[in-house]
Amino acid sequence: MTTLATVILAAGQGTRMKSRTAKVLHPIAGRPMVDYGVEAARQLGSQPPVLVVGKQSEAVREYIGDRAVFVEQTERLGTGHATLMARDVLRGRSDLVLVFYADMPLLRAKTLRRVVETHTASTAQPALTMLTLVADDPRGFGRVVRRADGTVAAIVEEAAATPEQLAIHELNVGVYVFDAAWLWEALPRIQPTPPKNEYYLTDVVALANADGRAVLAVEGDDPDELIGINTRVHLAEAEAALRRRINRAHMLNGVTIVDPATTYIAADVSIGMDTVIWPNTHLRGATTIGEGCVIGPNAVLSNATVGDDCTVIASVIEDSTLKNGVRMGPFARVRNGAHLGAGVHMGNFGEIKKSRLGPGVKMGHFSYIGDAEVGANVNIGAGTITCNYDGVNKHKTVIGEGAFIGSDTMLVAPVTIGAGALTGAGAVVKQPVPDGQVAVGVPARVIGARRQPQKKKKT
Ligand code: UD1
Ligand code: CA
């Protein structure tokens, strides 16, 4: 079996980003750029990739952790020099070496695999196989010079190209698979190119030709894979392209996206069949949505777990769970580990923080529930507030099953409302209310047993 090692070049300074943050840590579709390359290498079944980083790379190392092996290029002397930095850790460790650049986040594992497979399938024992793309806009990329018989003669960087070479539309994407033994021997032979005297990895093509070794080229089929990031303009371009790709995959999986151009779904989100996403919806982090839901317009969900058949309109959910059939919004906010049981209804202008709501709870209008445990089928009247914070500590509110909390009740925590109890409108509850009792007033006092309301006669 042939073994594959991967080298990802990420030591460039990214000066044109004009940022305090390392270029490869800028997020695209909610994930730092460098993640895409590392993840692609993993999908290829490569050994953990070697990431070539520059000075001040602590944040990158910390973020990637043990998903890659780090080597440092202390001086930025070009892509050939950067690749050479990986030699000590990789020489003798693999048959093939895949090299690509960390600033090309749209590259798919599928495409990388095609380059590897073309290389291994060839009987010509190629020194390398590279990825090219034909495009109208050359984007300042290296041009691929082919001979009359179609074999690759050289990659010429734009700055060094003749007018005829500048007219070539076949571009060097920057993905190469090498015969490992040949690569490690050839890299030190690259000569610096004036005026900047950088060692260009692209010069390996000419070296292979001089050695009489074959150079193969695979033509890519997705122009988006050409999007490399040097500026924030490119960053927006990559974001849009990735968004198109992500949205398309969800649509092909049975999700209706009413307006893909204004639907922002992060790379790790999963969505069930027959869910409809309305415009201006943002699904971030590790959000999971079940089947048959209606999300948006104007919903923002981060690390949300949403069951089946839920409706979320113009609301914000963070780090929280909705069980099946929850209806929410417009203008609700749920956060910090909130858990809404099946069939909960949460109407406009409510907030739920770090609380569990049992199944069937209704909270129609203007309420804040924080640090609370709310039993099944509780009715929370308009304007109800859990006064959970005394200025120093947070306290818990417990509301038993089937309780009826009257409009504008202040629940001064810690406090317990018994199952089936009732509070009157405007009550300020500081003492526990026993099961089935009614409490009214300021502060509320218990006045007697709760009568169950009579069912309305159908007229
Ligand atoms: C490079 C290619 C070009 C190709 C283009 C595709 C070379 C000489 N040119 O040009 O043919 O069309 O990519 O995107 O390779 N890096 C280092 N250390 C260095 C220099 C660069 O690690 O000393 C890293 C950068 O962080 C970056 C990658 O290598 O991730 C590519 O470098 P960059 O300067 O962006 O090369 P391009 O000019 O885009
Ligand atoms: Ca680049």
Side-chain angles (χ1 to χ4, degrees), residues 16 23 101 103-104 228-230:
R16 285 170 288 173
K23 173 161 96 172
Y101 306 144
D103 64 356
M104 309 283 291
I229 288 136
N230 295 327

Side-chain angles (χ1 to χ4, degrees), residues 158-197:
E158 186 165 273
T162 63
E164 295 77 48
Q165 289 167 338
L166 283 177
I168 296 172
H169 286 287
E170 188 173 17
L171 310 174
N172 172 35
V173 178
V175 174
Y176 324 84
V177 174
F178 295 97
D179 169 342
W182 182 82
L183 174 70
W184 301 129
E185 178 276 317
L187 279 178
R189 290 194 272 138
I190 294 176
Q191 296 301 310
T193 302
K196 289 202 261 170
N197 290 320

Side-chain angles (χ1 to χ4, degrees), residues 405-417:
I405 308 300
S407 292
D408 217 8
T409 297
M410 302 293 123
L411 299 159
V412 184
V415 71
T416 301
I417 308 294

Side-chain angles (χ1 to χ4, degrees), residues 14-70:
T15 330
R16 285 170 288 173
M17 293 295 283
K18 303 206 170 130
S19 176
R20 279 185 250 282
T21 304
K23 173 161 96 172
V24 294
L25 289 183
H26 281 263
I28 299 171
R31 236 199 228 172
M33 197 186 302
V34 64
D35 245 15
Y36 292 92
V38 172
E39 173 60 17
R42 194 192 61 76
Q43 281 183 34
L44 272 187
S46 144
Q47 304 166 12
V50 172
L51 204 56
V52 183
V53 291
K55 285 183 283 188
Q56 278 143 19
S57 60
E58 289 72 23
V60 179
R61 290 173 192 253
E62 198 176 306
Y63 176 73
I64 293 292
D66 59 7
R67 291 187 290 144
V69 174
F70 291 89

Side-chain angles (χ1 to χ4, degrees), residues 4 29 81 119 127 135 172 205 230 252 275 294 364 367 370 375 394 400 411 436 444:
L4 175 72
H81 178 258
H119 187 92
N172 172 35
V205 172
N230 295 327
L252 293 174
T275 283
V294 177
S367 290
K394 302 275 167 65
L411 299 159

Side-chain angles (χ1 to χ4, degrees), residues 256-284:
T256 294
I257 298 181
V258 177
D259 181 17
T262 58
T263 303
Y264 308 83
I265 304 178
D268 300 319
V269 171
S270 79
I271 310 173
M273 206 170 59
D274 288 329
T275 283
V276 179
I277 313 282
W278 286 89
N280 199 19
T281 288
H282 302 248
L283 306 177
R284 300 176 178 155

